[in-house]
Amino acid sequence: MTQGTLQHERIERRALEEEMRESFIDYSMSVIVQRALPDARDGLKPVHRRILYAMLEEGMRPSRPHKKSATVVGDVLGRYHPHGDGAVYDTIVRMVQDFSLRYPLIDGQGNFGSIDGDSAAAYRYTEVRMTPVAMDLLADIERDTVDVRPNFDGRLTEPVVLPCRLPHLLLNGSDGIAVGMATKIPPHNAGELLAAVDHLVANPQCDTDELLARLPGPDFPTGGYIHGRAGIESAYRTGRGRLDMRARVHVEEGRFGKSSLIVTELPYQVNKTRVIGQITKLVRAGRADAITDLRDESDRDGIRLVIELKRDAKPRKVLATLFKKTQLRYTFGVIMLALVHGKPEELDLRAVLGTWIDHRLAVIRRGAAHDLARAGDRAHIVEGLQAALDEIDRVIDIIRGSKTPAGARKGLLAAFDLTERQVDAILAMRLVRLTGLERDKLAEELRTLRAEIARLTDLVEDETARRGFLRAEIRELAQRYDDPRRTEILDDDTEFRLSKAGGGEAQLVLVSRGGYVKAQPAATGGGMAGAEVLSDRQGDFARHAFLTRGAHTLLAITTRGNAHALPVSALPRGTRSSRGRHVEEFIDLELGDEIVALLAAETFADDRFLVVATRQGHVKRSALSEYANARSAGIIGAGIARGDEVVAAFVTDGSSDLLFATRSGQAIRFPESATRAMGRTARGVKAIDLARGDVVVAAAAPRADSDLLVATAAGYGKRIPFTEFKVQGRAGKGFTILPERERTGSLVGFTEAHDADEVAWALSDGSVESTSAASVIRRSPREAGRPAVRLRAGVAVEAVHPMHSGRRARTASPGRGQTGELPLRETPSDGEEPQAELEFETQDR
């Protein structure tokens, strides 16, 4: 090394301990601030914030098509995040997973992993776009609501924090490990969280007890239980606590008196494959001898882990062992650590919510100031234009007398009390602005601007106004994001619940035309064809099938208007090959009464309606909540006049069109809203004006895109698109859909049908003919149908039904429904037990 080189070198002597200490502190703070801990204001780490901001710049909004994940990874790395692509894509994957985030921030297409621990596909295969929740975190960012800073190379700017209309730190929680510290914040339910925030905004001095009354505890995306409230209170009061999480488990009775433990929900962040391995290890080690089999019957609809037990095993004792030795019981250690003003702080509940509220108030003030400046600028221009219009002749003379635009500009400035910007706007004004209508528009715009300026000034200067604005914003968000709680909280002194057969698992409920009913695990119903589950009884067939859960209740509506409740949990559990029991074994029917329809309801909501149609042409609509107290003995479901009877019943969402058809071939379609909601015992109003001797044979609320397969007594049929039925007023005579009734015979009913459906034609001799819906010709109401089934002499068609297989069963939640004919009227002969399937009358459309 030369002497010149030594002269230019800068050598500083330092103690090794001091250098190590300062370097370690610098590194630690870099990890804490730039990677590991979320900001208390928006609940995001830098990588999450940069991903969302890059997606916003790329236009990947919820209403736009998905784009390749590789696009996002490349944009984030090239513009904002100088780290590895693996870290970015792993973050994107977690933001997509609905079992990781309570409210996912990214909507993904493709394989993004599973709760079993399966890895996501490479980012060249998957596609993403933002969710509405992400858009609310970014809302108003273009209005100068947050600070920005240069990116890593100074070419671009990125936000320091997002405006964050939602209290995201607690909404989705956060996990992170830094140097010497860690954060672990659980997710919460949006409705409960916003209720607590709203109370704190309105009452800044409230105590933690008042917040606890509105925010009972965390709500994990995977459901399960939190056993005990002590850990929740500790976390909310001190920032630290331990939550005892447990899986949701119930008992099902199987064959030969053997029981099974059914796991349907796991604790948050527990890997199902690991749990299976732990149970298997216990059995092999001889520490769980009561377990004879372990099956994973999970599917896309949810988790179902079946743990079969010996006949004499005690389920509660086995479960206690599993809770002790496996992750069916898991502890979530809450550490509410986040960055406040760039420094890590451990926060209690009031501090977390208060930090977000202060941030939102600042965002609202900055946004209002931004809008105020723009409104004031526009008002300034409009005032100048109005002043010019008031003296338009002088303005025109000055402009015409000027040799150059610059001269006109100087002339206007000298002649009027205007600013340079106002003069520029006048010179750029089009001649059309001289019309009276345009002058009125300017005056109206100025009035609107002045009112907006007053409102924005109030927001900028008055914190009370800002708090009122924030509360209105919170109420709007609560309406959009409020959803049912998934995680149930049990009191400390409450014994862990182990319910029998009915938990929350998906069940396939089957009912035959003859009225036999059973329920079986939904996982065992795949690929089951209707013909495979028919009974030996002639004329019985697969009538209905729907997917439901143990919490559902079946409502049986009878011809006399009674409503009987039948919990799904009370139905006999069966296998694919088992035969159910008759539905009348579970409800108390009056002598001579018959079931018209079976409807499924998970909740008896005010925004769902039970519509009842009678043979004499009346219709009644009641809120489903009116039937919440129904019992097996029955309650009055509808007031029925003497000589009349219920012919159809179905559940709607309040916005359907109703269709009634009569024996003579008349049909009427009218909006459901034409029938006001009535009390449960009301008789209803007239739906169709019947001719003498005519009666209603079918009624429904069909889907708008469906075909109605119309059947006649002589075996004729045709499919009429529902759109062909014109909408009329209620209580009219309707229009004819059987133009040649003398030849085709009277109308016996209709049913919704699509090309892939099978249709059963019930005949007067007790037999059944089946055809495909595709074989029935499509016609308009004015055209005649064609023979659809071949009939023997003296035999007529009595009803038409859809034939559905278990694999095509739909989720039975209260939505738009259909009921055509009179199902479940036939009584099987003694000694016959038909196997049943049916698609229920209430199904989400």
Side-chain angles (χ1 to χ4, degrees), residues 39 106 178 235 579 609 712 731 758:
D39 193 296
I106 297 178
R579 299 176 179 181
F609 300 91
T712 72
E758 290 290 318

Side-chain angles (χ1 to χ4, degrees), residues 124-138:
R124 62 183 177 273
Y125 298 120
T126 60
E127 296 180 335
V128 292
R129 64 183 177 189
M130 289 188 290
T131 65
V133 176
M135 292 303 299
D136 278 320
L137 301 189
L138 291 157

Side-chain angles (χ1 to χ4, degrees), residues 206-523:
C206 72
D207 57 25
T208 304
D209 289 332
E210 295 178 52
L211 298 179
L212 278 168
R214 293 161 176 81
L215 186 63
D219 188 23
F220 297 107
T222 54
Y225 295 99
I226 298 176
H227 194 264
R229 300 180 184 272
I232 297 173
E233 292 200 14
S234 175
Y236 287 169
R237 295 182 189 279
T238 69
R240 286 179 177 260
R242 294 171 64 85
L243 309 181
D244 180 8
M245 302 187 300
R246 303 191 185 188
R248 186 179 293 272
V249 188
H250 69 270
V251 177
E252 285 186 6
E253 300 298 329
R255 293 177 297 177
F256 312 117
K258 297 176 66 176
S259 300
S260 296
L261 292 172
I262 312 297
V263 180
T264 55
E265 294 174 4
L266 290 173
Y268 183 51
Q269 295 178 333
V270 167
N271 184 309
K272 176 159 61 70
T273 302
R274 185 179 300 120
V275 170
I276 293 173
Q278 291 172 340
I279 297 174
T280 303
K281 187 175 180 180
L282 278 177
V283 174
R284 288 176 177 171
R287 304 176 72 180
D289 293 336
I291 297 176
T292 60
D293 193 15
L294 176 62
R295 297 191 309 276
D296 184 5
E297 297 179 354
S298 307
D299 57 21
R300 66 179 59 190
D301 294 322
I303 292 173
R304 180 178 170 84
L305 196 59
V306 180
I307 306 169
E308 284 193 3
L309 307 180
K310 292 180 179 178
R311 183 179 303 178
D312 57 348
K314 299 185 182 305
R316 187 172 293 279
K317 184 176 180 180
V318 175
L319 184 60
T321 300
L322 295 179
F323 277 155
K324 185 176 181 180
K325 301 295 184 181
T326 73
Q327 288 187 341
L328 291 179
R329 179 179 181 181
Y330 190 69
T331 300
F332 188 99
V334 179
I335 306 174
M336 297 209 291
L337 185 71
L339 296 175
V340 180
H341 304 300
K343 297 179 181 179
E345 289 187 19
E346 205 166 279
L347 308 170
D348 59 17
L349 179 61
R350 288 192 82 262
V352 172
L353 299 183
T355 301
W356 178 81
I357 290 171
D358 292 343
H359 173 59
R360 280 305 299 170
L361 293 175
V363 166
I364 292 169
R365 182 187 56 77
R366 290 184 60 161
H370 175 269
D371 293 345
L372 180 62
R374 297 188 64 175
D377 184 65
R378 178 59 185 169
H380 180 66
I381 297 298
V382 173
E383 288 170 350
L385 294 176
Q386 274 201 323
L389 290 176
D390 292 341
E391 299 285 344
I392 191 62
D393 293 334
R394 287 182 61 196
V395 170
I396 293 174
D397 289 342
I398 292 172
I399 294 174
R400 292 178 64 184
S402 303
K403 294 183 178 180
T404 63
R409 192 167 182 270
K410 290 180 180 179
L412 290 173
L413 285 171
F416 298 98
D417 185 20
L418 298 172
T419 66
E420 293 184 357
R421 295 187 67 253
Q422 288 175 324
V423 168
D424 291 339
I426 292 169
L427 292 174
M429 183 175 62
R430 298 165 59 194
L431 292 177
V432 73
R433 285 297 183 97
L434 301 180
T435 64
L437 182 61
E438 289 296 317
R439 293 165 69 99
D440 292 342
K441 284 184 178 180
L442 279 177
E444 178 61 29
E445 182 183 1
L446 187 59
R447 282 194 296 272
T448 302
L449 284 169
R450 285 173 176 167
E452 182 68 3
I453 288 171
R455 185 185 72 84
L456 293 172
T457 302
D458 201 26
L459 284 177
V460 171
E461 297 177 352
D462 185 4
E463 182 173 330
T464 302
R466 291 196 293 274
R467 286 184 177 270
F469 183 90
L470 178 56
R471 293 194 68 194
E473 191 176 73
I474 290 171
R475 285 192 294 271
E476 185 265 328
L477 290 168
Q479 290 180 348
R480 285 167 48 197
Y481 293 119
D482 188 19
D483 61 349
R485 163 173 279 276
R486 299 182 189 178
T487 302
E488 191 172 347
I489 301 174
L490 306 177
D491 292 329
D492 300 77
D493 55 353
T494 301
E495 186 178 6
F496 184 79
R497 302 173 184 174
L498 187 56
S499 60
K500 286 192 174 182
E505 79 285 1
Q507 295 284 333
L508 179 63
V509 176
L510 309 170
V511 181
S512 75
R513 181 190 181 215
Y516 279 75
V517 61
K518 71 173 180 177
Q520 65 188 54

